[in-house]
């Protein structure tokens, strides 16, 4: 009888005469990506948002970090780390292959969490900055759209492997006419208004900085509007979903089949 390790794709040929293994303590399966999220937020989670399951074409496992709120995470407060690590360890026990996050400011803890885990970790969209640089022409910049520019500290840059910031242009949505409803947990927002805030900010960013060659969305609430940002600015747009899809593809490869 063929023995199959718990890590891998189960093909039709595995359905018979196969001895399967499972990690002790794991009572669910099939989740490739685990996503850490804030415990205390209150606003609509629309498709495209990192914590809307319809955003993905594959199963994801969500895990709230107990007691974690927006101000604490954005500040990078050290006391938040133990709860983040505990939630990440729970996801690992549940069988996920890699861990991401649902706020760019999880990046304050990226370096530390990656060192403490036994599976790949990319908990902030900001970790894509070094990769994006390799795609651009010399002298081109990266436009970063964030929910809170004042919280873009040296801590998050260093933790996410960003060794310089002179080629980064920041656009702050914190006080957007409609976007602020998300930041202030008001329980509702005008979706068209939020879209317009984000797209208009992106257009202003590239108009004022024509040397911006790509745009990165720090915030997990911005991906629903990424395609419209791309259409308006004619630039590549990176966000949490490009990051999570990249990790999922790497950690859950599937066999190819078809005619030759």
């Amino acid at each position: 009888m063929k023995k199959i390790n718990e890590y891998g794709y189960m093909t039709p040929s595995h359905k018979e005469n196969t001895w399967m293994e499972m990690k002790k303590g794991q009572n669910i399966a099939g989740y490739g990506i685990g996503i850490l999220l804030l415990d205390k937020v209150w606003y609509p989670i629309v498709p495209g948002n990192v914590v809307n399951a319809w955003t993905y074409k594959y199963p994801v496992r969500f895990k709230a970090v107990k007691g974690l709120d927006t101000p604490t995470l954005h500040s990078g407060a050290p006391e938040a780390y133990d709860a983040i690590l505990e939630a990440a360890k729970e996801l690992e026990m549940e069988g996920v292959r890699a861990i991401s996050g649902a706020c760019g400011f999880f990046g304050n803890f990226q370096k530390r969490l990656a060192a403490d885990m036994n599976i790949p970790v990319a908990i902030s969209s900001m970790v894509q900055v070094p990769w994006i640089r390799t795609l651009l022409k010399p002298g081109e910049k990266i436009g970063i759209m964030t929910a809170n520019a004042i919280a873009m500290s040296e801590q998050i840059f260093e933790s996410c492997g960003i060794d310089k910031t002179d080629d980064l242009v920041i656009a702050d949505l914190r006080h957007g006419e409609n976007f602020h409803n998300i930041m202030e947990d008001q329980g509702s927002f005008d979706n068209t208004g939020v879209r317009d805030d984000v797209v208009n900010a992106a257009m202003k960013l590239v108009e004022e900085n024509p040397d911006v060659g790509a745009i990165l969305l720090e915030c997990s609430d911005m991906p629903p509007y990424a395609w419209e940002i791309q259409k308006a600015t004619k630039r590549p747009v990176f966000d949490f979903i490009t990051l999570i899809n990249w990790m999922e593809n790497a950690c859950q490869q599937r066999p190819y089949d078809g005619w030759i």
Side-chain angles (χ1 to χ4, degrees), residues 128-176:
Q128 296 172 99
V129 168
W131 318 341
I132 298 170
R133 283 176 174 149
T134 67
L135 306 178
L136 302 182
K137 295 169 59 176
E140 286 190 322
K141 296 180 178 179
I142 302 171
I144 297 180
M145 300 182 63
T146 179
N148 190 2
I150 198 171
M152 282 286 180
S153 64
E154 286 301 316
Q155 177 179 339
I156 191 171
F157 291 135
E158 191 276 333
S159 182
C160 290
I162 302 169
D163 57 0
K164 63 175 185 174
T165 59
D166 58 346
D167 62 343
L168 307 180
V169 182
I170 309 296
D172 191 5
L173 272 292
R174 174 69 179 84
H175 301 291

Side-chain angles (χ1 to χ4, degrees), residues 66-79:
K66 294 176 183 177
L68 186 61
D69 60 18
T70 299
T72 301
L73 184 60
H74 282 212
S75 71
E79 59 267 24

